Amino acid sequence: MRADIPRTRNQSEDRAALTANLHAPSRSAASRTRILLRRLHLCLGLSLGLLFALLGATGSMLVFYTDIDAALHPAVHSDHAGSTPDLRSPAWDRALATGRARWHDAGGKWSFEVTNAGEPIQARYYPAPGHRGEREMVWFSPDGSRILRAEPWGGYLMSWIYELHMQLLAGAAGEQVVGWSGVAMMFLLVSGMAAWWPRGTWRKAIAVKRGAAPIRRIRDLHKLSGLASFGLLLVLVATGVLLALPPVTQALFRPTAIPDPKPIVHRAEPIDIVHALAVAQRAMPDGRLRFFDMPSAPDAPIRARFQVPGDPHRRFPGSYVFIDRFSAKILAVHDVRNGNTGTQWVSWVRPLHDGSVCGLATRMLAVLIGLTPAFLFGSGLLHWLRRRSAARAARGA
């Protein structure tokens, strides 16, 4: 009996050692993967962190960019005798005539925004392709007889910030940089979350150690702010990529195409705006008009842009009515509710990105989340610099 005891103990020890050896490679592989993820996160953070902070901060400013711009130009928004005209007012045609008297391009296009908010008439003027000049932002008096303000897009503060956010002030090339760097930023976020993912208890993983050294406190703040903002930041970055790279968005979702109808050319005088809008409203009776485009060229239709029930974006909805500018016939209707699944997905991209999806509360949240990348970059950079300094000091000792 005594002779059997050592053998039993040896067998137990052998089994324990064998089990440890079997699990050691997996633990080693997990450790190597975690180290690789941390290095990837560090490299992406150091190379893209400043750009991420810039895009986040400018995006926060753009959440309320129309309100900020109005506050910066109080004279324009107080210099009107009444509210924005309704859709039956001749002021729209008067504003169009006033604008065309100043800009004579026969191939240009006017796009009017219907604010319904007691504001001046707001419009955009697009010169014909090939003509010099970008679009002009124009504010008319409510009766349409005077131009209160006219500035080129990108030529005033909030539009400059918009171009910085969307294109880094570099046109189409900058838009590509923003879009594809956004893809890398998604890897930055995911790698940070994966490198942090706790191997033990969650309570310990999210704990903040009291009285810890400064380098540990910085790490904890970076960790907790990244954890708290991860989901919303990922949504903002992903939707930003889709907005910056329209061909990618089209390839991924394949939404129903917006019609491009050919007008019926007549020699008669073109219809006035009131007539055109009445026709468009009858074609989409439950829609709320947001924009309408008045082309100068006879071979282009009038286009009215509506928000219909279920469309999440209030300012830039996705439903259109196309009207022949001479015969007043409806040439095509694009109702976002009748689109395919891809159309429904695409309709959510912009409101998710600008925070307008649920009104003021989510817009305020978008402002806060947009400021988070600056804090993450600053805290991550400071932690890295302190670690380098400590490592050099240790080597010197």
Side-chain angles (χ1 to χ4, degrees):
M1 293 293 293
R2 290 178 181 178
D4 293 338
I5 294 174
R7 285 198 298 271
T8 305
R9 287 177 179 173
N10 290 338
Q11 290 171 357
S12 300
E13 291 172 358
D14 290 343
R15 283 197 296 270
L18 180 59
T19 302
N21 289 332
L22 288 173
H23 287 286
S26 63
R27 286 201 302 269
S28 177
S31 298
R32 288 196 299 268
T33 302
R34 189 176 291 267
I35 292 171
L36 180 62
L37 287 171
R38 286 176 178 170
R39 289 177 178 173
L40 174 64
H41 185 70
L42 176 62
C43 291
L44 290 174
L46 293 176
S47 58
L48 294 173
L50 188 59
L51 176 60
F52 198 3
L54 173 67
L55 294 178
T58 52
S60 290
M61 288 185 278
L62 291 176
V63 171
F64 292 97
Y65 85 94
T66 55
D67 305 273
I68 297 173
D69 184 69
L72 294 174
H73 300 86
V76 173
H77 295 268
S78 62
D79 184 16
H80 51 81
S83 62
T84 304
D86 62 31
L87 301 182
R88 295 167 294 179
S89 172
W92 298 105
D93 282 290
R94 194 178 299 119
L96 180 62
T98 302
R100 283 176 173 171
R102 179 164 174 176
W103 290 276
H104 304 286
D105 181 9
K109 181 185 74 173
W110 284 89
S111 181
F112 289 88
E113 183 172 0
V114 182
T115 61
N116 297 323
E119 294 290 326
I121 297 175
Q122 300 178 36
R124 297 159 170 79
Y125 171 69
Y126 300 85
H131 287 229
R132 293 186 62 186
E134 297 295 332
R135 67 184 182 270
E136 194 86 8
M137 307 298 290
V138 186
W139 289 258
F140 297 93
S141 60
D143 64 357
S145 63
R146 292 178 297 126
I147 295 176
L148 304 177
R149 179 186 169 201
E151 297 192 60
W153 179 257
Y156 57 98
L157 179 61
M158 296 313 297
S159 64
W160 183 86
I161 293 174
Y162 200 107
E163 291 294 284
L164 177 63
H165 179 76
M166 289 293 296
Q167 303 176 340
L168 300 176
L169 307 178
E175 197 167 23
Q176 291 290 312
V177 171
V178 169
W180 291 112
S181 65
V183 175
M185 289 172 196
M186 287 193 288
F187 281 102
L188 170 64
L189 293 169
V190 173
S191 63
M193 178 61 72
W196 165 85
W197 197 263
R199 287 177 289 187
T201 64
W202 280 72
R203 183 177 180 180
K204 183 179 179 181
I206 63 176
V208 177
K209 187 176 181 181
R210 296 182 179 180
I215 190 171
R216 172 63 186 268
R217 291 200 299 269
I218 294 171
R219 176 190 171 191
D220 286 344
L221 289 173
H222 182 84
K223 170 186 69 177
L224 293 178
S225 57
L227 176 63
S229 60
F230 171 76
L232 293 176
L233 271 179
L234 194 62
V235 170
L236 289 179
V237 173
T239 52
V241 169
L242 295 174
L243 289 173
L245 302 174
V248 173
T249 305
Q250 294 291 320
L252 285 175
F253 297 105
R254 299 186 180 277
T256 303
I258 298 174
D260 183 20
K262 300 301 180 183
I264 306 168
V265 179
H266 292 271
R267 295 182 180 179
E269 289 294 320
I271 60 175
D272 57 27
I273 292 176
V274 173
H275 187 181
L277 297 185
V279 171
Q281 192 69 69
R282 286 196 297 269
M284 200 163 286
D286 59 346
R288 185 173 183 180
L289 184 67
R290 292 301 187 184
F291 282 89
F292 62 88
D293 300 339
M294 298 298 297
S296 298
D299 58 345
I302 298 170
R303 188 181 74 165
R305 187 171 188 172
F306 287 88
Q307 183 196 17
V308 297
D311 191 331
H313 208 287
R314 297 172 179 83
R315 192 176 182 208
F316 297 107
S319 297
Y320 302 89
V321 177
F322 297 85
I323 306 141
D324 184 79
R325 58 193 299 257
F326 293 99
S327 67
K329 291 184 178 180
I330 297 173
L331 301 175
V333 175
H334 178 77
D335 191 327
V336 71
R337 294 168 295 187
N338 298 329
N340 59 14
T341 303
T343 302
Q344 307 304 319
W345 281 102
V346 169
S347 68
W348 284 93
V349 171
R350 188 185 287 269
L352 285 172
H353 187 70
D354 63 20
S356 63
V357 61
C358 291
L360 181 61
T362 49
R363 293 174 76 190
M364 293 296 296
L365 182 60
V367 171
L368 294 175
I369 296 299
L371 298 175
T372 306
F375 178 79
L376 290 173
F377 174 63
S379 59
L381 179 63
L382 186 58
H383 181 262
W384 176 69
L385 291 174
R386 281 180 173 269
R387 286 192 62 184
R388 286 191 65 186
S389 178
R392 286 175 181 174
R395 286 196 298 268

